[in-house]
Amino acid sequence: MTGIAGSRLRTGGLGRRATALLSAVVLLGAGLMLSACNSVEGTKAAYADEEPAGNLYNAGLAYMNAGKLNDAVKSFNEVDRQHPYSEWARKALIMSAYASYKRGKYDDASSTARRYLTLYPGTDDAAYAQYIVAQSHYNRIPDITRDQAETKKAMAALEEIVDRFPDSEYADDARQKVIQTRDQIAGKEMQVGRYYLERREYIAAANRFKTVVTTYQDTRHVEEALYRLVEVNLALGIVPEAQTAGAVLGHNFPDSDWYKQAYKRLGGSGVEPDENKGSWISRAFGGGKTT
């Protein structure tokens, strides 16, 4: 079974926004640099160790253009250190997050973007910062055989985009990736469930398949999960639950190969699909049929 471990970030959205930020701030640069210089005139000693914010920011841009991303991050971070809470610092913070992302330093990118969201939650670039957080986790989604903690973090961060910034340019991509991450997590549950099933640890297996049916019902794994519930319940001697799983599978996926296998499996035990409306399986599907 394949997951999305090989499906990596399309940098278009991040790159386009970064380019827009560069253009906007460069236009602003000359005026703010003059302002910065005038503000320290006459108090040179007090600001001896500081450099104008515009100089630091433009140095960061130059480093980025030259591919020197580590130096770019350092320069952007200096803007924030020397000129905290300024407009330059705000722009530098988001660019530092993007530069860290470009370097593949996803922990740094995520933490910097989260700091931006804490300090500037209502700005135009808040959605962009949340997208950097989400993509930093998404790019580290592992193979289906490994722990899916990063997948869950990616899903939560992507859902945050959909919930908080539904009209942003990142929302559609986030919605698609939420579907992918949910499918990945459901696939992991199925893998573990099949492992327990092979070891005849039927209750442990049933719990995994139940999670897919109740929590990840909208993924492509739900058909197999219902079939596996037929299998494990027959093995446990809980025939009515097996019949219900088969009936619900047939109601919702009548053309599924999994249903054909379930029908055959139940027939081999001398019974047919028969839904018990009081079963949790039936209730999970709103009484047996999807709406």
Side-chain angles (χ1 to χ4, degrees):
M1 181 177 299
T2 58
I4 58 176
S7 177
R8 290 304 181 233
L9 170 67
R10 294 175 298 156
T11 58
L14 288 173
R16 285 194 301 272
R17 185 57 183 162
T19 300
L21 283 169
L22 300 185
S23 301
V25 178
V26 167
L27 289 174
L28 198 61
L32 289 185
M33 286 172 65
L34 287 174
S35 175
C37 290
N38 290 338
S39 68
V40 299
E41 188 175 358
T43 57
K44 186 174 181 180
Y47 293 87
D49 294 332
E50 291 191 355
E51 191 171 348
N55 288 359
L56 290 169
Y57 189 92
N58 286 333
L61 302 189
Y63 284 132
M64 284 199 72
N65 289 333
K68 298 179 179 179
L69 298 175
N70 186 46
D71 290 330
V73 170
K74 291 179 180 178
S75 190
F76 289 135
N77 288 347
E78 273 300 296
V79 178
D80 187 42
R81 187 184 72 82
Q82 294 188 25
H83 307 275
Y85 308 111
S86 66
E87 180 66 6
W88 281 110
R90 184 181 75 79
K91 296 290 188 182
L93 192 59
I94 197 70
M95 290 306 297
S96 176
Y98 176 66
S100 291
Y101 172 82
K102 289 283 287 182
R103 291 180 66 212
K105 299 294 185 180
Y106 298 128
D107 283 334
D108 292 344
S110 180
S111 63
T112 303
R114 287 187 185 279
R115 181 164 179 262
Y116 183 96
L117 287 164
T118 298
L119 293 173
Y120 312 106
T123 61
D124 290 341
D125 289 322
Y128 181 52
Q130 184 63 40
Y131 194 58
I132 292 176
V133 173
Q135 297 292 56
S136 294
H137 291 300
Y138 185 85
N139 268 26
R140 290 185 288 184
I141 290 177
D143 181 83
I144 196 72
T145 61
R146 300 175 63 187
D147 180 79
Q148 297 299 306
E150 281 295 337
T151 311
K152 292 176 181 179
K153 290 177 183 178
M155 182 175 71
L158 290 162
E159 288 175 337
E160 187 80 1
I161 295 172
V162 175
D163 292 341
R164 289 184 58 194
F165 311 104
D167 299 321
S168 71
E169 64 183 285
Y170 314 106
D172 285 343
D173 188 50
R175 290 185 185 97
Q176 290 301 312
K177 288 191 169 92
V178 167
I179 294 171
Q180 295 170 7
T181 53
R182 285 178 59 80
D183 194 81
Q184 177 88 349
I185 295 167
K188 179 62 177 181
E189 293 292 326
M190 292 302 299
Q191 186 221 14
V192 176
R194 286 191 295 269
Y195 168 79
Y196 286 131
L197 184 59
E198 290 172 1
R199 293 170 60 90
R200 299 184 179 181
E201 297 180 28
Y202 297 124
I203 294 177
N207 286 334
R208 296 291 179 160
F209 302 138
K210 180 178 181 178
T211 296
V212 175
V213 169
T214 56
T215 306
Y216 302 104
Q217 191 180 113
D218 57 342
T219 70
R220 61 192 170 100
H221 300 284
V222 70
E223 296 175 41
E224 183 187 353
L226 285 166
Y227 168 76
R228 299 298 179 187
L229 285 169
V230 172
E231 197 173 9
V232 296
N233 279 300
L234 285 175
L236 289 167
I238 311 175
V239 177
E241 285 289 83
Q243 291 176 282
T244 297
V248 171
L249 179 54
H251 282 317
N252 291 279
F253 310 100
D255 299 322
S256 169
D257 287 337
W258 291 112
Y259 175 58
K260 294 174 185 177
Q261 293 185 52
Y263 193 90
K264 183 177 179 180
R265 191 71 177 251
L266 288 165
S269 297
V271 295
E272 292 184 347
D274 184 21
E275 185 176 355
N276 171 14
K277 297 290 187 179
S279 168
W280 70 265
I281 302 172
S282 181
R283 293 196 302 272
F285 279 82
K289 294 188 178 182
T290 53
T291 57

